Amino acid sequence: MSTYTIQEQFNQYLDLLNKIHNLGHDIDAAINEVEILDMEAKRTGYKQRLNMVTKSLISSLKNMNGKYPIHNYLGNQTTYLFIENDKLAFEYH
């Protein structure tokens, strides 16, 4: 089990997804092949970290045995994180 809270793990999860997404756009826009290879290596590293964070988050949610609420104040809605078929799942309200 992780030493991070579920909220901290989810924040890491979102941060890594964002970095991977942005690097994908940067790769598409890059001209220099060395620069592309560097960005692809970074993206691969972020994907590996994302897999570790996801596994940790799934483990923490399994131990909690329920749905974890995350409130989005800007969107005025709550997202619930939970495990379904050993995978991370989201439910919006």
Side-chain angles (χ1 to χ4, degrees), residues 23 27 35-46 48:
L23 278 169
I27 289 168
E35 186 181 15
I36 291 171
L37 293 175
D38 182 50
M39 285 186 275
E40 286 177 338
K42 272 186 188 176
R43 185 172 61 174
T44 298
Y46 287 144
Q48 290 171 344

